[in-house]
Amino acid sequence: MGETRRESLPRYQLFIDVKWVDAESGKTFTATNPATGESIAEVAEADSADVAKAVAAARKAFEGKWSEVSPSERGRLLFKLAQLIEEHSGELAALETANAGKPIRESTFADLPLTVGTMEYFAGFASKIEGETIPLFNGMFTYTMREPVGVCGQIIPWNFPLAMAAWKIAPALAAGNTVVLKPAEQTPVTAMELAKLVQEVGFPDGVVNILPGFGDTAGAALARHPGVDKISLTGSAATGAKVASVAAGGMKAVTMELGGKSPMIVFEDADLDNAVSGAQMANFYSSGQICSNGTRVFVHESVADAFIEKLIARSRDLVLGDPEKPETQVGPIVTKAQYEQVMSYIEKGKAEGAKCVLGGHAVSEGMPEGGLFVAPTVFTDCTDDMTIVREEIFGPVMSVLTFSDEDEAIKRANDTEYGLAAGVFTKDLSRGHRVVARLEAGTCWINTYNITPIEMPFGGVKKSGVGRENGRAAIEYYTRIK
Ligand code: NAI
Ligand code: MG
């Protein structure tokens, strides 16, 4: 029975040198749908031998064919890729939902438009990467050129599989680099569909290589390969530290987009309904599986009761369930391991004395069988030293804390090893900007949260990483100055 099922599954090979090939080892692994636990594809499993082949292909392209393609032609190829993704966006959104368990409304209205928009944005950039002329003395001058870095090893997580692939591939190609991308082992499927479109566009051989595989094998091989000039990783702080130190050994350029425990500060003058929307976006969207989430919600003590009341009233009816249904707002947790991590944090929150005022449990009734669902959860009466307030949970779990003045809020907001993002809710414009200036975070929002337009540089400070993605900044990190 099992075997028959396996044989009828879609199969994906590795994408090396713009061709489809089996892994050298012949190994494959199975991709599953988080909402049902069902197998959705059989995928070739890359390891160091395959990484070596892909890097060699990427290097050959970088030094050969790709270097002869003009910037505007690079832009045209990326535009064509954007168009193809847009043409296939219905199927890709459905597949992303099966791949990552994302509610179909998210895949359709957020992930796919973001993926297309990213390709378009950087397509436009390809022909606008310029150096400078710097005047010296006696009529002399010096000039700079912005060159591509070379072969880029790109490692991405499972929470936004297609959009993260686009965030990595688009600026790298726009700037004239070649890439070897490793999708997350939990969610390889949409990246391989993207590879089909890359092939259809007609990129020269070797420019894009996509190798599904695991972190310890394919990922680690990419990080240490001497033919890779830059490593860009989005993932956990622990993996980031490991990969960055390996990359440092080879003097590779790095961009690290890691986790967070970001603060969201709600002042007494904030529009509370808007602040509740922000807190929901910052904690429950994508089942809370977002690096920039504002999981420490600091609310001024004078409005805390009103905020919590509105928050519960509006979060109680969030529609949890089958991500394929259009009404679903919160889907499953991506894997059993991730689900167990989230549940263990919820238990820790309760054991350490936080008050669970919403959710705080798994849900199976009315859910697709085999899926891993956690109810949107709110803890109040939290203190700064609690485990749920200090550690990244990566699930739909919010901690509410109270404060009494601005200085105190800023000090406590900054009291974390992370620094990815932060949010400030206030009607006082001066205060909004004043507080943002003092927050230790790479990305700050005022009166909104988790909006990541492609025009906006994105990235962290402290243990949340180094470098920036998106915006003009991404081009800077995918080029070097001569
Ligand atoms: P992870 O950081 O281990 O995995 C992310 C990517 O890195 C995957 O493609 C993985 O295969 C690769 N990787 C893992 N170990 C590697 C190694 N030694 N060398 C090279 N590549 C390696 O994240 P994981 O295990 O999926 O999730 C654990 C926690 O990480 C989550 O609970 C969450 O807290 C955090 N996380 C943060 C993300 C973010 O967006 N910043 C995304 C995913 C997870
Ligand atoms: Mg890991």
Side-chain angles (χ1 to χ4, degrees), residues 289-351:
Q289 303 172 121
I290 301 187
C291 50
S292 53
N293 271 357
T295 46
R296 293 182 295 139
V297 179
F298 292 94
V299 186
H300 191 270
E301 58 192 6
S302 66
V303 294
D305 289 346
F307 174 87
I308 291 165
E309 196 179 306
K310 280 176 190 285
L311 175 67
I312 295 173
R314 284 177 47 196
S315 304
R316 191 184 278 142
D317 299 328
L318 285 172
V319 183
L320 181 72
D322 185 349
E324 286 179 13
K325 293 194 174 151
E327 65 272 23
T328 296
Q329 294 170 296
V330 184
I333 301 294
V334 72
T335 56
K336 188 95 203 287
Q338 195 64 31
Y339 165 85
E340 278 164 3
Q341 173 176 312
V342 174
M343 290 310 295
S344 87
Y345 276 115
I346 289 176
E347 291 318 314
K348 261 181 219 152
K350 291 176 182 170

Short mmCIF file of all heavy atoms in Angstrom, two decimals, residues 289-351:
data_model
loop_
_atom_site.label_atom_id
_atom_site.label_comp_id
_atom_site.label_asym_id
_atom_site.label_seq_id
_atom_site.Cartn_x
_atom_site.Cartn_y
_atom_site.Cartn_z
N GLN A 289 4.76 31.71 13.21
CA GLN A 289 6.06 31.19 12.78
C GLN A 289 6.79 32.22 11.93
O GLN A 289 7.06 32.01 10.75
CB GLN A 289 5.85 29.87 12.02
CG GLN A 289 5.11 28.83 12.86
CD GLN A 289 4.70 27.59 12.10
OE1 GLN A 289 5.07 26.49 12.43
NE2 GLN A 289 3.95 27.77 11.03
N ILE A 290 7.10 33.35 12.55
CA ILE A 290 7.75 34.46 11.84
C ILE A 290 8.86 35.02 12.72
O ILE A 290 8.66 35.26 13.90
CB ILE A 290 6.72 35.57 11.51
CG1 ILE A 290 5.61 35.01 10.63
CG2 ILE A 290 7.41 36.76 10.87
CD1 ILE A 290 4.64 36.03 10.10
N CYS A 291 10.01 35.24 12.09
CA CYS A 291 11.19 35.68 12.86
C CYS A 291 11.01 37.05 13.49
O CYS A 291 11.52 37.31 14.57
CB CYS A 291 12.41 35.68 11.95
SG CYS A 291 12.15 36.54 10.39
N SER A 292 10.29 37.95 12.82
CA SER A 292 10.18 39.32 13.32
C SER A 292 9.04 39.52 14.31
O SER A 292 8.75 40.64 14.72
CB SER A 292 10.00 40.28 12.14
OG SER A 292 8.92 39.84 11.34
N ASN A 293 8.38 38.44 14.70
CA ASN A 293 7.21 38.59 15.57
C ASN A 293 7.47 39.41 16.84
O ASN A 293 8.51 39.28 17.47
CB ASN A 293 6.67 37.21 15.96
CG ASN A 293 5.66 36.73 14.94
OD1 ASN A 293 5.34 37.44 13.99
ND2 ASN A 293 5.15 35.53 15.13
N GLY A 294 6.48 40.21 17.20
CA GLY A 294 6.53 41.01 18.42
C GLY A 294 5.88 40.22 19.55
O GLY A 294 4.73 40.43 19.91
N THR A 295 6.66 39.30 20.10
CA THR A 295 6.09 38.34 21.05
C THR A 295 6.08 38.86 22.48
O THR A 295 5.44 38.29 23.33
CB THR A 295 6.89 37.03 20.99
OG1 THR A 295 8.29 37.35 21.01
CG2 THR A 295 6.58 36.25 19.72
N ARG A 296 6.83 39.94 22.73
CA ARG A 296 6.77 40.57 24.05
C ARG A 296 5.94 41.84 23.90
O ARG A 296 6.43 42.86 23.38
CB ARG A 296 8.18 40.90 24.55
CG ARG A 296 9.02 39.64 24.85
CD ARG A 296 10.39 40.03 25.39
NE ARG A 296 11.18 40.74 24.41
CZ ARG A 296 11.95 41.80 24.69
NH1 ARG A 296 12.02 42.27 25.92
NH2 ARG A 296 12.65 42.39 23.74
N VAL A 297 4.70 41.79 24.30
CA VAL A 297 3.81 42.93 24.13
C VAL A 297 3.77 43.73 25.44
O VAL A 297 3.17 43.29 26.43
CB VAL A 297 2.39 42.47 23.71
CG1 VAL A 297 1.47 43.68 23.55
CG2 VAL A 297 2.46 41.67 22.41
N PHE A 298 4.45 44.87 25.45
CA PHE A 298 4.48 45.74 26.64
C PHE A 298 3.33 46.73 26.52
O PHE A 298 3.29 47.53 25.58
CB PHE A 298 5.80 46.51 26.70
CG PHE A 298 7.01 45.65 26.97
CD1 PHE A 298 7.78 45.14 25.93
CD2 PHE A 298 7.37 45.34 28.29
CE1 PHE A 298 8.90 44.35 26.19
CE2 PHE A 298 8.49 44.55 28.55
CZ PHE A 298 9.26 44.05 27.50
N VAL A 299 2.42 46.71 27.50
CA VAL A 299 1.26 47.60 27.44
C VAL A 299 1.29 48.52 28.66
O VAL A 299 1.53 48.05 29.79
CB VAL A 299 -0.06 46.79 27.44
CG1 VAL A 299 -1.26 47.72 27.23
CG2 VAL A 299 -0.03 45.72 26.36
N HIS A 300 1.05 49.82 28.43
CA HIS A 300 1.04 50.74 29.57
C HIS A 300 -0.01 50.30 30.58
O HIS A 300 -1.13 49.94 30.20
CB HIS A 300 0.77 52.18 29.11
CG HIS A 300 1.01 53.17 30.21
ND1 HIS A 300 0.02 53.56 31.09
CD2 HIS A 300 2.16 53.78 30.61
CE1 HIS A 300 0.54 54.40 31.97
NE2 HIS A 300 1.83 54.55 31.72
N GLU A 301 0.36 50.34 31.86
CA GLU A 301 -0.50 49.77 32.91
C GLU A 301 -1.91 50.39 32.93
O GLU A 301 -2.88 49.72 33.27
CB GLU A 301 0.16 49.92 34.29
CG GLU A 301 0.49 51.36 34.64
CD GLU A 301 1.41 51.50 35.86
OE1 GLU A 301 1.89 50.47 36.38
OE2 GLU A 301 1.63 52.64 36.28
N SER A 302 -2.01 51.67 32.50
CA SER A 302 -3.32 52.33 32.57
C SER A 302 -4.30 51.81 31.50
O SER A 302 -5.51 52.03 31.62
CB SER A 302 -3.15 53.84 32.42
OG SER A 302 -2.67 54.14 31.12
N VAL A 303 -3.78 51.17 30.47
CA VAL A 303 -4.68 50.67 29.41
C VAL A 303 -4.62 49.15 29.26
O VAL A 303 -5.23 48.58 28.35
CB VAL A 303 -4.41 51.35 28.04
CG1 VAL A 303 -4.75 52.84 28.10
CG2 VAL A 303 -2.96 51.14 27.59
N ALA A 304 -3.87 48.52 30.15
CA ALA A 304 -3.63 47.07 30.00
C ALA A 304 -4.94 46.27 30.05
O ALA A 304 -5.16 45.39 29.21
CB ALA A 304 -2.65 46.58 31.06
N ASP A 305 -5.81 46.58 31.00
CA ASP A 305 -7.05 45.80 31.12
C ASP A 305 -7.90 45.95 29.86
O ASP A 305 -8.43 44.97 29.32
CB ASP A 305 -7.85 46.23 32.35
CG ASP A 305 -7.18 45.78 33.65
OD1 ASP A 305 -6.25 44.93 33.57
OD2 ASP A 305 -7.54 46.29 34.72
N ALA A 306 -8.01 47.18 29.39
CA ALA A 306 -8.82 47.43 28.18
C ALA A 306 -8.22 46.73 26.97
O ALA A 306 -8.93 46.12 26.16
CB ALA A 306 -8.92 48.94 27.92
N PHE A 307 -6.89 46.78 26.87
CA PHE A 307 -6.20 46.13 25.74
C PHE A 307 -6.44 44.63 25.77
O PHE A 307 -6.81 44.02 24.76
CB PHE A 307 -4.69 46.45 25.81
CG PHE A 307 -3.87 45.72 24.78
CD1 PHE A 307 -3.69 46.25 23.51
CD2 PHE A 307 -3.27 44.49 25.09
CE1 PHE A 307 -2.93 45.57 22.55
CE2 PHE A 307 -2.51 43.81 24.14
CZ PHE A 307 -2.35 44.35 22.87
N ILE A 308 -6.26 44.03 26.94
CA ILE A 308 -6.39 42.57 27.05
C ILE A 308 -7.83 42.13 26.75
O ILE A 308 -8.06 41.13 26.06
CB ILE A 308 -5.93 42.09 28.45
CG1 ILE A 308 -4.40 42.28 28.59
CG2 ILE A 308 -6.30 40.63 28.70
CD1 ILE A 308 -3.87 42.21 30.00
N GLU A 309 -8.76 42.92 27.23
CA GLU A 309 -10.17 42.60 26.98
C GLU A 309 -10.48 42.59 25.47
O GLU A 309 -11.09 41.65 24.94
CB GLU A 309 -11.04 43.63 27.69
CG GLU A 309 -12.49 43.22 27.84
CD GLU A 309 -13.27 44.31 28.59
OE1 GLU A 309 -12.84 44.70 29.70
OE2 GLU A 309 -14.28 44.77 28.03
N LYS A 310 -10.03 43.62 24.78
CA LYS A 310 -10.24 43.70 23.33
C LYS A 310 -9.50 42.57 22.60
O LYS A 310 -10.01 41.98 21.65
CB LYS A 310 -9.73 45.03 22.78
CG LYS A 310 -10.65 46.22 22.98
CD LYS A 310 -9.97 47.50 22.48
CE LYS A 310 -10.71 48.76 22.86
NZ LYS A 310 -11.94 48.99 22.08
N LEU A 311 -8.28 42.32 23.08
CA LEU A 311 -7.45 41.29 22.45
C LEU A 311 -8.13 39.92 22.53
O LEU A 311 -8.21 39.19 21.54
CB LEU A 311 -6.08 41.25 23.15
CG LEU A 311 -5.11 40.16 22.71
CD1 LEU A 311 -4.66 40.40 21.27
CD2 LEU A 311 -3.89 40.12 23.63
N ILE A 312 -8.63 39.60 23.70
CA ILE A 312 -9.29 38.29 23.88
C ILE A 312 -10.56 38.24 23.02
O ILE A 312 -10.80 37.27 22.31
CB ILE A 312 -9.61 38.03 25.35
CG1 ILE A 312 -8.31 37.91 26.16
CG2 ILE A 312 -10.44 36.75 25.51
CD1 ILE A 312 -8.49 37.83 27.66
N ALA A 313 -11.35 39.31 23.11
CA ALA A 313 -12.62 39.31 22.37
C ALA A 313 -12.38 39.11 20.87
O ALA A 313 -13.13 38.40 20.21
CB ALA A 313 -13.36 40.63 22.61
N ARG A 314 -11.31 39.71 20.35
CA ARG A 314 -11.08 39.63 18.91
C ARG A 314 -10.27 38.41 18.49
O ARG A 314 -10.26 38.06 17.31
CB ARG A 314 -10.42 40.91 18.41
CG ARG A 314 -11.43 42.06 18.33
CD ARG A 314 -10.79 43.35 17.90
NE ARG A 314 -9.92 43.18 16.75
CZ ARG A 314 -9.03 44.08 16.38
NH1 ARG A 314 -8.88 45.20 17.06
NH2 ARG A 314 -8.27 43.87 15.33
N SER A 315 -9.57 37.78 19.44
CA SER A 315 -8.73 36.64 19.05
C SER A 315 -9.43 35.31 19.28
O SER A 315 -9.04 34.29 18.72
CB SER A 315 -7.41 36.66 19.85
OG SER A 315 -6.76 37.88 19.67
N ARG A 316 -10.46 35.35 20.11
CA ARG A 316 -11.20 34.13 20.45
C ARG A 316 -11.80 33.48 19.21
O ARG A 316 -11.87 32.27 19.10
CB ARG A 316 -12.32 34.55 21.42
CG ARG A 316 -13.03 33.44 22.10
CD ARG A 316 -14.17 34.01 22.93
NE ARG A 316 -13.70 34.51 24.22
CZ ARG A 316 -14.16 35.61 24.82
NH1 ARG A 316 -15.07 36.36 24.24
NH2 ARG A 316 -13.71 35.95 25.99
N ASP A 317 -12.22 34.32 18.27
CA ASP A 317 -12.92 33.79 17.09
C ASP A 317 -12.04 33.64 15.86
O ASP A 317 -12.55 33.40 14.76
CB ASP A 317 -14.11 34.69 16.75
CG ASP A 317 -15.10 34.75 17.90
OD1 ASP A 317 -15.22 33.73 18.62
OD2 ASP A 317 -15.71 35.81 18.11
N LEU A 318 -10.75 33.76 16.02
CA LEU A 318 -9.87 33.51 14.87
C LEU A 318 -10.13 32.10 14.37
O LEU A 318 -10.25 31.17 15.17
CB LEU A 318 -8.39 33.65 15.27
CG LEU A 318 -7.87 35.08 15.48
CD1 LEU A 318 -6.47 35.06 16.07
CD2 LEU A 318 -7.90 35.87 14.17
N VAL A 319 -10.24 31.95 13.06
CA VAL A 319 -10.61 30.64 12.51
C VAL A 319 -9.37 29.77 12.34
O VAL A 319 -8.51 30.02 11.49
CB VAL A 319 -11.34 30.79 11.15
CG1 VAL A 319 -11.77 29.42 10.63
CG2 VAL A 319 -12.53 31.72 11.31
N LEU A 320 -9.28 28.75 13.20
CA LEU A 320 -8.17 27.82 13.17
C LEU A 320 -8.62 26.61 12.35
O LEU A 320 -9.76 26.16 12.50
CB LEU A 320 -7.88 27.39 14.61
CG LEU A 320 -6.73 26.42 14.89
CD1 LEU A 320 -5.40 27.11 14.67
CD2 LEU A 320 -6.80 25.91 16.33
N GLY A 321 -7.77 26.08 11.50
CA GLY A 321 -8.19 24.87 10.81
C GLY A 321 -7.48 24.59 9.51
O GLY A 321 -6.33 24.98 9.32
N ASP A 322 -8.22 23.89 8.65
CA ASP A 322 -7.70 23.42 7.37
C ASP A 322 -7.20 24.60 6.54
O ASP A 322 -7.98 25.45 6.12
CB ASP A 322 -8.85 22.70 6.64
CG ASP A 322 -8.38 22.06 5.33
OD1 ASP A 322 -7.24 22.37 4.90
OD2 ASP A 322 -9.16 21.28 4.76
N PRO A 323 -5.91 24.64 6.27
CA PRO A 323 -5.36 25.80 5.55
C PRO A 323 -5.87 25.93 4.13
O PRO A 323 -5.75 27.00 3.53
CB PRO A 323 -3.85 25.57 5.59
CG PRO A 323 -3.67 24.12 5.86
CD PRO A 323 -4.87 23.67 6.66
N GLU A 324 -6.45 24.85 3.59
CA GLU A 324 -6.96 24.94 2.22
C GLU A 324 -8.28 25.69 2.14
O GLU A 324 -8.71 26.09 1.06
CB GLU A 324 -7.12 23.53 1.62
CG GLU A 324 -5.78 22.93 1.27
CD GLU A 324 -5.88 21.53 0.70
OE1 GLU A 324 -6.99 21.10 0.34
OE2 GLU A 324 -4.82 20.87 0.64
N LYS A 325 -8.94 25.86 3.29
CA LYS A 325 -10.23 26.55 3.27
C LYS A 325 -10.03 28.07 3.29
O LYS A 325 -9.22 28.57 4.07
CB LYS A 325 -11.06 26.14 4.48
CG LYS A 325 -11.50 24.69 4.44
CD LYS A 325 -12.57 24.44 5.47
CE LYS A 325 -13.10 23.02 5.33
NZ LYS A 325 -13.58 22.50 6.62
N PRO A 326 -10.77 28.76 2.46
CA PRO A 326 -10.53 30.21 2.34
C PRO A 326 -10.79 30.97 3.64
O PRO A 326 -10.21 32.04 3.85
CB PRO A 326 -11.50 30.65 1.24
CG PRO A 326 -12.44 29.52 1.04
CD PRO A 326 -11.77 28.27 1.49
N GLU A 327 -11.64 30.45 4.52
CA GLU A 327 -11.95 31.19 5.73
C GLU A 327 -10.89 31.01 6.83
O GLU A 327 -10.88 31.73 7.82
CB GLU A 327 -13.35 30.82 6.27
CG GLU A 327 -13.51 29.37 6.74
CD GLU A 327 -13.93 28.41 5.63
OE1 GLU A 327 -13.69 28.71 4.44
OE2 GLU A 327 -14.47 27.34 5.96
N THR A 328 -10.00 30.04 6.65
CA THR A 328 -9.02 29.75 7.70
C THR A 328 -8.01 30.88 7.88
O THR A 328 -7.42 31.36 6.92
CB THR A 328 -8.28 28.43 7.40
OG1 THR A 328 -9.23 27.38 7.43
CG2 THR A 328 -7.17 28.16 8.40
N GLN A 329 -7.86 31.31 9.15
CA GLN A 329 -6.90 32.38 9.45
C GLN A 329 -5.62 31.86 10.08
O GLN A 329 -4.58 32.48 9.99
CB GLN A 329 -7.56 33.40 10.39
CG GLN A 329 -8.71 34.15 9.73
CD GLN A 329 -9.49 34.97 10.73
OE1 GLN A 329 -10.12 34.44 11.65
NE2 GLN A 329 -9.44 36.27 10.58
N VAL A 330 -5.74 30.73 10.81
CA VAL A 330 -4.56 30.17 11.48
C VAL A 330 -4.48 28.69 11.12
O VAL A 330 -5.43 27.94 11.34
CB VAL A 330 -4.65 30.34 13.02
CG1 VAL A 330 -3.37 29.84 13.68
CG2 VAL A 330 -4.89 31.81 13.40
N GLY A 331 -3.36 28.28 10.55
CA GLY A 331 -3.17 26.90 10.11
C GLY A 331 -2.38 26.09 11.12
O GLY A 331 -2.24 26.48 12.28
N PRO A 332 -1.86 24.94 10.67
CA PRO A 332 -1.12 24.07 11.58
C PRO A 332 0.31 24.56 11.82
O PRO A 332 0.78 25.46 11.15
CB PRO A 332 -1.08 22.75 10.81
CG PRO A 332 -1.09 23.18 9.37
CD PRO A 332 -1.96 24.40 9.31
N ILE A 333 0.97 23.91 12.76
CA ILE A 333 2.40 24.11 12.99
C ILE A 333 3.14 23.22 11.99
O ILE A 333 2.67 22.12 11.66
CB ILE A 333 2.75 23.72 14.45
CG1 ILE A 333 1.93 24.55 15.44
CG2 ILE A 333 4.25 23.84 14.72
CD1 ILE A 333 2.23 26.02 15.46
N VAL A 334 4.29 23.66 11.53
CA VAL A 334 4.92 23.03 10.36
C VAL A 334 5.33 21.57 10.55
O VAL A 334 5.17 20.76 9.65
CB VAL A 334 6.09 23.88 9.84
CG1 VAL A 334 7.26 23.81 10.80
CG2 VAL A 334 6.51 23.47 8.45
N THR A 335 5.89 21.23 11.71
CA THR A 335 6.35 19.85 11.93
C THR A 335 6.05 19.43 13.36
O THR A 335 5.79 20.26 14.24
CB THR A 335 7.89 19.70 11.76
OG1 THR A 335 8.53 20.61 12.66
CG2 THR A 335 8.35 19.94 10.34
N LYS A 336 6.15 18.11 13.60
CA LYS A 336 5.96 17.57 14.95
C LYS A 336 6.96 18.19 15.92
O LYS A 336 6.60 18.58 17.04
CB LYS A 336 6.15 16.04 14.88
CG LYS A 336 5.81 15.28 16.13
CD LYS A 336 4.39 14.75 16.09
CE LYS A 336 3.78 14.48 17.46
NZ LYS A 336 4.32 13.31 18.14
N ALA A 337 8.21 18.31 15.49
CA ALA A 337 9.26 18.86 16.38
C ALA A 337 8.92 20.29 16.77
O ALA A 337 9.04 20.69 17.94
CB ALA A 337 10.61 18.81 15.68
N GLN A 338 8.47 21.07 15.79
CA GLN A 338 8.13 22.46 16.06
C GLN A 338 6.91 22.54 16.98
O GLN A 338 6.86 23.35 17.90
CB GLN A 338 7.88 23.16 14.71
CG GLN A 338 7.86 24.65 14.78
CD GLN A 338 9.20 25.24 15.20
OE1 GLN A 338 10.25 24.69 14.91
NE2 GLN A 338 9.15 26.36 15.90
N TYR A 339 5.94 21.67 16.72
CA TYR A 339 4.72 21.60 17.53
C TYR A 339 5.08 21.27 18.99
O TYR A 339 4.60 21.89 19.94
CB TYR A 339 3.80 20.55 16.93
CG TYR A 339 2.67 20.06 17.81
CD1 TYR A 339 1.46 20.76 17.86
CD2 TYR A 339 2.80 18.90 18.57
CE1 TYR A 339 0.42 20.31 18.65
CE2 TYR A 339 1.76 18.44 19.36
CZ TYR A 339 0.58 19.15 19.40
OH TYR A 339 -0.45 18.70 20.19
N GLU A 340 5.97 20.30 19.15
CA GLU A 340 6.36 19.92 20.52
C GLU A 340 7.09 21.05 21.22
O GLU A 340 6.90 21.28 22.42
CB GLU A 340 7.21 18.64 20.50
CG GLU A 340 6.30 17.42 20.39
CD GLU A 340 7.02 16.14 19.99
OE1 GLU A 340 8.25 16.17 19.83
OE2 GLU A 340 6.30 15.13 19.82
N GLN A 341 7.89 21.78 20.45
CA GLN A 341 8.58 22.93 21.03
C GLN A 341 7.57 23.98 21.51
O GLN A 341 7.66 24.48 22.63
CB GLN A 341 9.52 23.54 19.97
CG GLN A 341 10.17 24.83 20.41
CD GLN A 341 11.16 25.36 19.36
OE1 GLN A 341 12.01 24.62 18.86
NE2 GLN A 341 11.05 26.63 19.03
N VAL A 342 6.58 24.27 20.67
CA VAL A 342 5.58 25.27 21.04
C VAL A 342 4.80 24.82 22.28
O VAL A 342 4.62 25.58 23.23
CB VAL A 342 4.62 25.54 19.86
CG1 VAL A 342 3.49 26.47 20.27
CG2 VAL A 342 5.38 26.11 18.67
N MET A 343 4.38 23.55 22.28
CA MET A 343 3.60 23.05 23.42
C MET A 343 4.44 23.06 24.71
O MET A 343 3.92 23.34 25.79
CB MET A 343 3.07 21.63 23.14
CG MET A 343 1.98 21.57 22.08
SD MET A 343 0.61 22.73 22.32
CE MET A 343 -0.09 22.11 23.86
N SER A 344 5.72 22.78 24.58
CA SER A 344 6.53 22.75 25.80
C SER A 344 6.72 24.17 26.36
O SER A 344 6.75 24.38 27.57
CB SER A 344 7.85 22.02 25.59
OG SER A 344 8.82 22.91 25.10
N TYR A 345 6.78 25.17 25.47
CA TYR A 345 6.84 26.55 25.96
C TYR A 345 5.53 26.95 26.65
O TYR A 345 5.54 27.65 27.66
CB TYR A 345 7.16 27.52 24.83
CG TYR A 345 8.64 27.65 24.55
CD1 TYR A 345 9.19 27.23 23.34
CD2 TYR A 345 9.51 28.18 25.50
CE1 TYR A 345 10.56 27.33 23.09
CE2 TYR A 345 10.87 28.29 25.26
CZ TYR A 345 11.38 27.87 24.06
OH TYR A 345 12.73 27.98 23.81
N ILE A 346 4.42 26.50 26.09
CA ILE A 346 3.13 26.82 26.73
C ILE A 346 3.10 26.22 28.14
O ILE A 346 2.69 26.89 29.11
CB ILE A 346 1.95 26.31 25.86
CG1 ILE A 346 1.85 27.18 24.59
CG2 ILE A 346 0.65 26.32 26.64
CD1 ILE A 346 0.79 26.73 23.59
N GLU A 347 3.58 24.98 28.27
CA GLU A 347 3.60 24.36 29.61
C GLU A 347 4.53 25.13 30.54
O GLU A 347 4.21 25.34 31.71
CB GLU A 347 4.03 22.88 29.51
CG GLU A 347 3.00 21.98 28.83
CD GLU A 347 1.55 22.26 29.27
OE1 GLU A 347 1.29 22.40 30.49
OE2 GLU A 347 0.67 22.39 28.38
N LYS A 348 5.67 25.57 30.00
CA LYS A 348 6.61 26.34 30.83
C LYS A 348 5.99 27.65 31.29
O LYS A 348 6.16 28.07 32.44
CB LYS A 348 7.89 26.65 30.05
CG LYS A 348 9.02 25.69 30.39
CD LYS A 348 10.29 26.03 29.60
CE LYS A 348 10.95 24.73 29.18
NZ LYS A 348 11.74 24.81 27.98
N GLY A 349 5.26 28.30 30.39
CA GLY A 349 4.60 29.55 30.75
C GLY A 349 3.66 29.34 31.93
O GLY A 349 3.67 30.12 32.90
N LYS A 350 2.88 28.27 31.85
CA LYS A 350 1.93 27.98 32.93
C LYS A 350 2.69 27.65 34.21
O LYS A 350 2.35 28.15 35.29
CB LYS A 350 1.03 26.80 32.55
CG LYS A 350 0.05 27.13 31.43
CD LYS A 350 -0.73 25.88 31.03
CE LYS A 350 -1.67 26.17 29.87
NZ LYS A 350 -2.27 24.95 29.31
N ALA A 351 3.72 26.82 34.10
CA ALA A 351 4.46 26.37 35.29
C ALA A 351 5.18 27.54 35.97
O ALA A 351 5.31 27.56 37.19
CB ALA A 351 5.47 25.29 34.89
#
